[in-house]
Amino acid sequence: MFRLLGSLLLVTAAGAVAIGAAPAPRAAATPLDRVIPAPASVDAGGSPYRITDSTRIRVDGSREARRVGEYLADVLRPSTGYRLPVTTYGSGGIQLRIGKGSFGAEGYRLDSGRKGVTITAAGPSGLFHGVQTLRQLLPAAVEKDSVQPGPWLIAGGTIKDTPRYGWRGAMLDVSRHFFTVDQVKRYIDQLALYKINKLHLHLSDDQGWRIAIDSWPRLATYGGSTQVGGGPGGYYTKADYKEIVRYAGSRHLEVVPEMDMPGHTNAALASYAELNCDGVAPPLYTGTEVGFSSLCVDKEITYDFVEDVVRELAAITPGRYLHIGGDEAHSTSHADYVKFMDRVQPIVAKYGKTVVGWHQLTGANPSRGALAQYWGLDSTSAEEKAQVAAAARNGTGLILSPADRIYLDMKYDANTPLGLSWAGYVEVQRSYDWDPGDYLAGAPASAIRGVEAPLWSETITKSADIEYMAFPRLAGVAELGWSPPSTHDWDGYKVRLAAQGARWDALGIQYYRSPQVPW
């Protein structure tokens, strides 16, 4: 009896010692410098702020700040279970302010301490980007759509942040395979988390025409009726397209529509025989070859067609830019290519838009203020690179999309089940480990407008495919576009990237678990 009682006392004492020696660890807040893209300036220190059931989201009197506040509340409510009312009254809590400051159009300042968090920006885009940083400072479970235990801590200190480049884009090819409005919206939400601000939609190609044009209705109804492999295809009505534009705008992304020409036009040529030089419409195309199609440069109806398309598309596109393609026009002679671009670029300007084209545009006469999107490789000929650099020195802005760095449809390695490999394999480190500022020899740094990650869809058919090829590489592209070069360091970045895995799990993003990243 005494031996049993003694044993129990020893066990109890041992438990007490164990409890006293190793107390349960306190929850730690995510460090301010752990986010992606890396902030321009971080000054960590002080007590964290804890979101509780009494927290309010306090906004200034502007409609824009209220919209951002409601967006933040919609993100936080499901996982915290808190009411988080959005109000203009009181102090403390989470405060969102649009005011004066040296933040630029997209920058912000975030101050966090025991009494609350304040995000200040000069405009609504900066405020929205600050909210994305706030999301990443909270535990990954904040992204879930059911109540989680928390605690919801935001580390103390100050972030001052402005982007390196004004163009931080992602291109989605909806022509090779069609994606619905809801699928595009899902991608927009994912892009917004990393402060991407341009959504480039590749709306026409040989395999499908994806936007309704009232003056040429068969473009969509016939030209949009198929896709790679012969599936049903599809197209956006003007109402669909406006909804994509509206939704992107609510996430502070500008939609840049692309009508690729004079090549990549078989869907249009199949829809209207008169656009062909011989007056004979080719069959619809469901393969993946490139370079075989061309609008008829010498026919006046070609330019009537282009003007109708540009006019109707410009009318429903509030952004500044319209992309006219211009790549892989192998069936168009150089003289005809130059003639075509000389006719088409003024049409774009006539309807109030700035021309964007693939970098082959620099082989013609880029219009004043035009942007050229470079998609060459490290191994692209010196002559071709020099042509692009010369255009940049003459005032053409450059968007960098090197295919062997940030084409998101390139396979990660030989075992990747999706994607292509014509530009080589592009693992996560390769996609991150380059500097846009000095990438193209001879091009002045001032000509670089930013970066864009294209995702071509020859092998991509569903949202899970988009996510697998975009993540984790897209986060690195976002950092190259936003963060100062001094923050670019693979060894540090891969640790921050690994921490994003839990967030993507919570969001249901089907990402590639690269062996280069310490997940």
Side-chain angles (χ1 to χ4, degrees), residues 20 31 54 157 311 423 465:
S54 63
R311 184 188 70 252
D465 296 344

Side-chain angles (χ1 to χ4, degrees), residues 36-37 194 196 406 428 431-434 436 451 470-483 488 490 493 497 504:
I36 295 175
Y194 296 98
I196 296 293
I406 58 173
V428 178
S431 68
Y432 177 80
D433 236 354
W434 63 286
V451 294
F471 293 93
R473 290 180 292 196
L474 183 72
V477 176
E479 178 148 308
L480 291 174
W482 181 280
S483 306
H488 296 173
W490 168 250
Y493 171 73
L497 184 61
W504 297 339

Side-chain angles (χ1 to χ4, degrees), residues 249-471:
S250 75
R251 270 61 177 161
H252 295 268
L253 280 86
E254 178 181 355
V255 172
V256 180
E258 180 190 354
M259 316 313 303
D260 205 346
M261 48 190 173
H264 290 281
T265 46
N266 193 81
L269 298 172
S271 301
Y272 288 95
E274 57 266 42
L275 296 177
N276 296 270
C277 287
D278 61 3
V280 178
L284 293 168
Y285 183 66
T286 61
T288 59
E289 296 300 315
V290 300
F292 60 87
S293 60
S294 179
L295 292 171
C296 192
V297 173
D298 289 330
K299 277 190 168 182
E300 198 60 30
I301 194 173
T302 294
Y303 305 101
D304 295 337
F305 161 76
V306 170
E307 180 153 3
D308 286 339
V309 171
V310 169
R311 184 188 70 252
E312 292 193 32
L313 191 54
I316 55 175
T317 301
R320 285 181 55 191
Y321 303 97
L322 198 150
H323 202 303
I324 59 174
D327 63 323
E328 297 174 325
H330 305 320
S331 296
T332 313
S333 71
H334 176 69
D336 278 354
Y337 184 88
V338 173
K339 178 181 178 180
F340 179 84
M341 288 303 179
D342 283 349
R343 288 286 303 270
V344 166
Q345 291 181 91
I347 295 173
V348 175
K350 177 181 177 180
Y351 292 99
K353 302 302 177 187
T354 297
V355 166
V356 185
W358 297 107
H359 75 261
Q360 283 74 20
L361 179 64
T362 62
N365 303 303
S367 60
R368 183 176 180 84
L371 303 181
Q373 186 167 358
Y374 180 79
W375 60 277
L377 317 178
D378 286 5
S379 60
T380 291
S381 72
E383 181 182 15
E384 187 172 354
K385 290 179 178 177
Q387 175 183 285
V388 178
R393 291 194 298 274
N394 288 327
T396 299
L398 299 182
I399 303 162
L400 297 182
S401 300
D404 56 344
R405 296 286 183 173
I406 58 173
Y407 262 36
L408 300 180
D409 54 300
M410 290 300 108
K411 291 177 177 286
Y412 294 98
D413 60 28
N415 297 316
T416 307
L418 301 168
L420 306 174
S421 58
W422 60 264
Y425 301 126
V426 182
E427 250 289 2
V428 178
Q429 182 173 359
R430 180 168 180 79
S431 68
Y432 177 80
D433 236 354
W434 63 286
D435 182 3
D438 62 10
Y439 176 78
L440 198 60
S446 59
I448 309 302
R449 299 292 185 266
V451 294
E452 182 176 294
L455 179 53
W456 302 98
S457 65
E458 286 92 339
T459 67
I460 310 301
T461 63
K462 54 186 183 293
S463 287
D465 296 344
I466 293 173
E467 293 162 11
Y468 185 80
M469 300 305 284
F471 293 93

Side-chain angles (χ1 to χ4, degrees), residues 45-50 93 110-118 154-158:
S47 300
Y49 174 67
R50 181 169 184 163
L110 185 150
D111 295 288
S112 177
R114 184 175 57 83
K115 293 184 178 180
V117 176
T118 300
I154 301 163
T158 297

Side-chain angles (χ1 to χ4, degrees), residues 30-32 35 110 133-139 153-154 159 503:
T30 300
L32 296 183
V35 302
L110 185 150
T133 296
L134 178 64
R135 283 175 71 179
Q136 289 193 38
L137 292 174
L138 288 163
L153 296 175
I154 301 163
I159 291 174
R503 192 167 304 274

Side-chain angles (χ1 to χ4, degrees), residues 58-99:
R58 305 182 193 278
V59 299
D60 61 30
S62 67
R63 183 180 303 173
E64 293 87 353
R66 178 167 285 277
R67 285 197 189 106
V68 177
E70 294 289 359
Y71 167 88
L72 176 60
D74 287 343
V75 170
L76 301 181
R77 283 168 180 155
S79 54
T80 64
Y82 302 149
R83 287 181 57 247
L84 300 173
V86 180
T87 177
T88 57
Y89 301 105
S91 61
I94 300 173
Q95 299 191 64
L96 306 179
R97 297 173 176 171
I98 295 177

